[in-house]
Amino acid sequence: MSSVTHTNSQATARADWNVIAGWVQPGERVLDLGCGDGALLRMLIDQRGARGYGVEIDATGVRAAIANGINVIQVDIDRGLAEFRDGAFEHVVLSRTLQTVKQTENTLREMLRVGREAVVSVPNFGYWKNRQAVLNGRMPVSEDLPYEWYDTPNVRFFTLADFEALCEQLGIVVKNREVLDAKGQPVHEEHNFLGSLGVYRIARK
Amino acid sequence: MTTKTTSGVGFVEAKRAHFDTPLTLRSGEVMPAYELVYETYGTLNADASNAILVCHALSGHHHVAGYYESDDADQQKQSVGWWDNIVGPGRPLDTDKFFIVGLNNLGGCHGSTGPASTNPASGKPWGADFPVVTVIDWVHTQARLADLLGIQQWFAVVGGSLGGMQALRWSVTYPERVKNTVVIAAAPYLTAQNIAFNDVARQAILTDPEFFGGNYYEHGARPRRGLRLARMLGHITYLSDDQMGEKFGRELRNDNLSFGFDVDFQIESYLHYQGDKFAGYFDANTYLLMTRALDYFDPAREENGDLTAVLKRAQSNFLIVSFTTDWRFSPARSREIVSALMAAEKNVSYAEIDLAFGHDSFLLDDPYYHSVIDAFLGKDAA
């Protein structure tokens, strides 16, 4: 499942992270799921005075995070977040990782059990370039979906509209939504068509 | 004649420290004086900020790394320290950067004061009169050794299994004296199943006719049969089912079944060899003490079972490591420690290493395992 996702697509990674950093208040406790080498947490610690932990399953990521002085916990998100207590964090971050998780619903529920709020960024399979690729008879490979069908770590394929429908179904409210195009620029209309990446701030109803 | 070795630290020698200040043990008994045997590798820096303590497990001792120089080449080769693969120049416990200290715990049988030592009160071996020592008692004696060596704060305290429990104990008993704590293949306390295994091991020793109530030294006897059984049982719990299956399977020592009770299967042969070897050098009373120390370890007791409350005292950074095939102290037991440390808002990283060799994996030279420890100790090394 999730691997070192933060190193992909650096241009939009930055934009994604800036949105997340903007939602984290100084000194907050943050849990970053699929933290890779811990670069996002490092940024939140340095810029926002955040504290917290990363979760990573991939050995390379774990070693790199430890070397970067990041608290990293090597567990599989798909097994739940049993190690974390209810309400232990102000924010639980899942950046570009939900599409690699098999237990989608449980992961969202667990995030909102251990966190007051969650921040989820997801690639949009409904992005126009991806639709165009499928219309042309090929699986999409784009800035935010950089893998070929045969080597992708992604196991769930969904659009921003699909994600919002699932939130509704699970009793999750979207408190903020920032949608970015493939260059990391904000999208203000037709987000499920023009947006390449969605960044959501969600909470329990 | 000496042969060249490939060891990181080369030839080493054990040292001995004598302590005259009486030590009150957790049991309430007092050790009036005692000796600890220890080894050091690398150089202590001017402000004594680069020292790492390596705590040993059930059958370990002070000889962590290097070789003892000997005229007998075979003997020299076999004298390699029990965790040599992790200590030395360029290795995770890097002797170019760190000053490494290993000791034999009080109650041991490798040179420190233990049941086979002479009890000054009677002039005879301590035997059954040697007090039951616990993990916190060891930590207090290790702190006195640190004082003697001029080490106010350890850069790190590191240990696997029972050694990991000592490291965890250090972090809450002397919080200001530990900068980093590395707890490998350990548990916050023993389960009923763990204690049950220890009990069977002890019963094997205690019911050996050669045990003489623990005073076998003066009878010129040794409870070898009991100790051998204890080690065979222990050894099974150190290995994984998969590894045992892969290494021995149902392989026969000879081609045919004997239709008797001598050794038929290779696993029997292996266990007998391990049991005999161990019973040849280890002291049965020490085995009893070590297993009891395991049973009694439960730092959460001090806070009515609340491990988080105990760990709140700690000031160090933590690295917790477990191995996927370890069923003696499974990853779930390490995750209990991790969970409590996070609830206590401590700096903690956790690595779960996929190795096939069960509990004994912690002694292996695995690149990922070692790189994690290297990264943790290197992140803010002097």
Side-chain angles (χ1 to χ4, degrees):
Chain A
M1 52 146 293
S2 72
S3 60
V4 192
T5 45
H6 286 165
T7 50
N8 306 325
S9 185
Q10 279 302 326
T12 48
R14 285 280 153 220
D16 163 20
W17 291 0
N18 287 335
V19 172
I20 294 167
W23 289 339
V24 170
Q25 298 305 305
E28 283 191 343
R29 291 164 302 173
V30 176
L31 178 65
D32 184 9
L33 301 176
C35 71
D37 64 6
L40 172 60
L41 268 174
R42 173 51 61 203
M43 174 179 151
L44 295 175
I45 290 164
D46 293 348
Q47 293 184 12
R48 310 299 287 165
R51 298 168 294 152
Y53 304 92
V55 170
E56 181 55 57
I57 190 71
D58 176 70
T60 312
V62 172
R63 179 178 38 220
I66 290 173
N68 291 335
I70 295 293
N71 293 316
V72 60
I73 311 298
Q74 188 173 25
V75 294
D76 185 346
I77 301 168
D78 266 331
R79 287 198 314 216
L81 301 175
E83 288 73 30
F84 302 91
R85 314 250 161 132
D86 295 0
F89 302 94
E90 273 84 32
H91 279 107
V92 180
V93 177
L94 190 67
S95 171
R96 300 160 182 271
T97 302
L98 189 65
Q99 74 282 0
T100 70
V101 171
K102 289 196 192 82
Q103 306 293 332
T104 313
E105 293 169 71
N106 192 52
T107 300
L108 290 170
R109 271 193 220 100
E110 281 283 88
M111 289 176 76
L112 291 174
R113 176 182 67 78
V114 304
R116 189 166 49 83
E117 288 184 354
V119 177
V120 181
S121 68
V122 291
N124 180 22
F125 284 77
Y127 177 53
W128 68 270
K129 280 191 192 169
N130 298 337
R131 297 187 193 203
Q132 192 177 47
V134 173
L135 277 176
N136 288 336
R138 300 296 301 271
M139 285 301 283
V141 178
S142 63
E143 286 82 351
D144 291 304
L145 289 168
Y147 299 98
E148 294 287 351
W149 66 273
Y150 49 81
D151 68 0
T152 181
N154 301 335
V155 296
R156 297 283 182 245
F157 306 91
F158 54 95
T159 68
L160 298 186
D162 289 329
F163 177 70
E164 289 165 24
L166 179 63
C167 287
E168 177 72 28
Q169 196 183 313
L170 296 177
I172 293 169
V173 288
V174 174
K175 298 179 78 173
N176 288 91
R177 182 186 73 195
E178 293 281 343
V179 176
L180 308 171
D181 66 17
K183 292 195 167 65
Q185 296 303 311
V187 171
H188 299 294
E189 52 181 22
E190 295 290 344
H191 70 272
N192 198 40
F193 187 70
L194 299 176
S196 178
L197 189 78
V199 193
Y200 292 87
R201 184 181 182 184
I202 59 176
R204 282 179 302 262
K205 251 181 195 144
Chain B
M1 181 208 87
T2 59
T3 52
K4 201 165 177 283
T5 72
T6 54
S7 168
V9 297
F11 296 124
V12 298
E13 279 176 15
K15 297 161 197 162
R16 179 171 290 277
H18 187 84
F19 299 88
D20 276 327
T21 312
L23 177 75
T24 303
L25 303 170
R26 185 175 152 198
S27 65
E29 290 205 51
V30 177
M31 284 297 288
Y34 55 93
E35 288 191 335
L36 296 177
V37 62
Y38 67 100
E39 289 181 9
T40 67
Y41 323 107
T43 309
L44 188 65
N45 62 12
D47 59 353
S49 62
N50 69 334
I52 295 180
L53 174 66
V54 177
C55 302
H56 70 75
L58 201 150
S59 60
H61 43 71
H62 55 289
H63 182 42
V64 182
Y67 292 80
Y68 293 141
E69 195 161 14
S70 167
D71 291 338
D72 180 334
D74 276 349
Q75 202 179 336
Q76 182 170 289
K77 198 174 161 207
Q78 281 171 16
S79 74
V80 64
W82 60 268
W83 210 6
D84 187 77
N85 62 33
I86 207 166
V87 179
R91 295 181 187 177
L93 304 190
D94 190 341
T95 47
D96 286 340
K97 285 194 282 189
F98 300 117
F99 177 68
I100 316 291
V101 179
L103 82 161
N104 183 215
N105 280 331
L106 183 66
C109 55
H110 290 89
S112 292
T113 302
S117 310
T118 302
N119 180 353
S122 66
K124 293 192 294 187
W126 281 92
D129 290 335
F130 196 86
V132 169
V133 287
T134 63
V135 170
I136 197 169
D137 298 325
W138 288 334
V139 167
H140 288 315
T141 60
Q142 290 160 2
R144 289 181 176 187
L145 180 62
D147 294 340
L148 186 91
L149 297 171
I151 297 159
Q152 181 48 41
Q153 186 194 48
W154 295 105
F155 178 80
V157 179
V158 180
S161 192
L162 178 56
M165 293 172 177
Q166 292 160 58
L168 195 63
R169 188 24 107 182
W170 258 100
S171 74
V172 295
T173 301
Y174 294 102
E176 69 292 345
R177 301 193 69 172
V178 188
K179 200 169 171 197
N180 296 288
T181 306
V182 181
V183 180
I184 304 163
Y189 58 88
L190 264 64
T191 61
Q193 188 194 49
N194 295 146
I195 295 170
F197 277 119
N198 283 346
D199 183 51
V200 176
R202 281 191 296 269
Q203 287 302 316
I205 293 167
L206 294 168
T207 59
D208 186 318
E210 304 285 301
F211 183 64
F212 292 105
N215 296 317
Y216 44 86
Y217 315 100
E218 47 201 279
H219 290 83
R222 295 194 64 195
R224 280 173 191 265
R225 276 170 293 178
L227 186 56
R228 173 177 179 269
L229 288 174
R231 182 58 169 183
M232 285 169 64
L233 178 72
H235 210 88
I236 297 168
T237 71
Y238 303 149
L239 306 178
S240 72
D241 190 19
D242 283 353
Q243 176 207 6
M244 234 189 232
E246 198 172 297
K247 194 167 173 182
F248 305 105
R250 294 181 52 81
E251 204 178 312
L252 298 172
R253 195 161 72 147
N254 302 311
D255 288 339
N256 302 309
L257 298 177
S258 70
F259 293 97
F261 302 106
D262 285 339
V263 172
D264 271 347
F265 295 95
Q266 285 293 9
I267 181 63
E268 297 175 301
S269 172
Y270 173 78
L271 277 181
H272 294 186
Y273 171 76
Q274 292 295 336
D276 286 335
K277 192 173 83 170
F278 189 73
Y281 72 84
F282 207 82
D283 184 65
N285 280 319
T286 291
Y287 202 86
L288 296 176
L289 289 174
M290 295 283 167
T291 57
R292 216 29 156 182
L294 277 162
D295 293 352
Y296 285 178
F297 181 71
D298 183 11
R301 266 176 73 99
E302 290 168 16
E303 296 282 353
N304 298 314
D306 185 347
L307 186 61
T308 300
V310 174
L311 292 174
K312 277 199 173 127
R313 300 176 201 163
Q315 294 174 19
S316 85
N317 304 309
F318 288 85
L319 174 65
I320 313 295
V321 178
S322 75
F323 300 94
T324 48
T325 55
D326 183 355
W327 57 280
R328 187 183 175 93
F329 297 136
S330 69
R333 306 308 315 282
S334 284
R335 289 198 297 261
E336 287 177 44
I337 301 171
V338 172
S339 185
L341 283 167
M342 289 195 294
E345 302 197 353
K346 299 300 169 189
N347 284 323
V348 54
S349 284
Y350 170 61
E352 195 168 300
I353 316 255
D354 193 11
L355 276 174
F357 299 90
H359 188 60
D360 270 355
S361 296
F362 90 85
L363 294 169
L364 293 183
D365 186 5
D366 173 69
Y368 174 52
Y369 169 37
H370 277 193
S371 75
V372 161
I373 292 175
D374 187 52
F376 180 74
L377 295 176
K379 68 182 161 39
D380 53 2

